[in-house]
Amino acid sequence: MTASDTNTKAAGSGEPEASANREPAKPRFPVLVLLPVVVFVALAALFLFQLTLGGDPKEIPSALIDKPAPAFSLSAVEGLTRDGNPVPGLSREDLIGKVSVVNVFASWCVPCRQEHPIMEDLAKVDGIQLVGINYKDKPENARRFLGSLGNPYRLIGADTAGRAAIEWGVYGVPETFIVDEKGTIRYKYIGPLNPKAYRDVFLPILEKVKNGG
């Protein structure tokens, strides 16, 4: 065996030897796979915190509480009548001079249908006016909705584009606001009013606002 053969053999045998001593590459864990899980856990923790320490989740603080109601002017729901007369639209000026309950509703909103008996009860409360903002609805659907369930609202504004609801800071329908005689938003209830919340929370606050408190 010549020296060159020996060198070739040595060189050839060195590469497998180095390969054998090399540690196998560790598979990389896809970090992005965990991201949705982390976000979910964080949101769940926040929700749990609100439930345990933050009170009723329906009483989410609003930046508009104790602030003037936003400037808005909504036309009437086309073709809607009450007692044979057209139901007028709604603007901020209509909220000045009397305590108002402003209910944001829609015909396609199932919870709105559930809370409608309470709206009818509210319409009978002395010293207030119940008005509505009809949110992203078709006139014929709104007419059918109120025609079958009854129309408790004195005024209804058609917010077909949803712009007014944004100005009011609406999260989703239904939502109900209490506005004092000066046009200041005093309270906001998110979601459908149920009998207990209506009796124990909403009505006492409404009476306080009526009495100037």
Side-chain angles (χ1 to χ4, degrees):
M1 183 181 296
T2 64
S4 60
D5 292 336
T6 305
N7 291 337
T8 302
K9 184 177 180 181
S13 62
E15 192 169 334
E17 213 172 287
S19 177
N21 293 332
R22 189 182 302 134
E23 292 185 4
K26 295 181 179 179
R28 293 183 179 180
F29 191 82
V31 178
L32 290 179
V33 173
L34 281 179
L35 187 57
V37 178
V38 172
V39 172
F40 174 79
V41 171
L43 291 175
L46 177 61
F47 183 69
L48 180 61
F49 174 81
Q50 290 178 338
L51 284 177
T52 54
L53 300 179
D56 190 343
K58 291 186 179 297
E59 296 182 14
I60 300 174
S62 170
L64 293 180
I65 299 300
D66 295 329
K67 302 285 181 61
F72 71 104
S73 181
L74 296 173
S75 59
V77 175
E78 182 183 349
L80 182 64
T81 61
R82 177 180 176 180
D83 298 329
N85 299 311
V87 177
L90 181 66
S91 68
R92 187 184 188 280
E93 286 68 31
D94 296 314
L95 306 179
I96 306 299
K98 60 195 75 175
V99 175
S100 304
V101 174
V102 182
N103 179 243
V104 185
F105 74 98
S107 65
W108 45 263
C109 164
V110 174
C112 295
R113 185 176 294 270
Q114 295 171 348
E115 78 164 2
H116 198 78
I118 291 178
M119 292 299 112
E120 291 186 307
D121 206 44
L122 263 171
K124 301 172 185 175
V125 175
D126 291 333
I128 72 156
Q129 65 170 354
L130 174 64
V131 299
I133 294 178
N134 185 222
Y135 177 71
K136 288 188 175 182
D137 219 345
K138 293 181 178 180
E140 59 271 25
N141 292 341
R143 292 195 302 267
R144 190 179 302 113
F145 176 83
L146 295 171
S148 62
L149 299 180
N151 179 15
Y153 308 101
R154 294 186 184 179
L155 311 169
I156 299 178
D159 188 17
T160 54
R163 181 64 189 175
I166 293 175
E167 297 293 334
W168 280 79
V170 170
Y171 292 94
V173 288
E175 289 192 12
T176 308
F177 299 81
I178 297 175
V179 182
D180 67 16
E181 295 179 342
K182 297 178 180 179
T184 301
I185 297 174
R186 301 295 302 278
Y187 182 72
K188 172 182 180 176
Y189 189 87
I190 298 173
L193 275 166
N194 58 68
K196 185 177 187 305
Y198 176 63
R199 180 186 67 247
D200 297 343
V201 179
F202 196 89
L203 279 180
I205 294 175
L206 182 59
E207 286 299 320
K208 181 178 178 181
V209 173
K210 282 173 56 180
N211 295 327

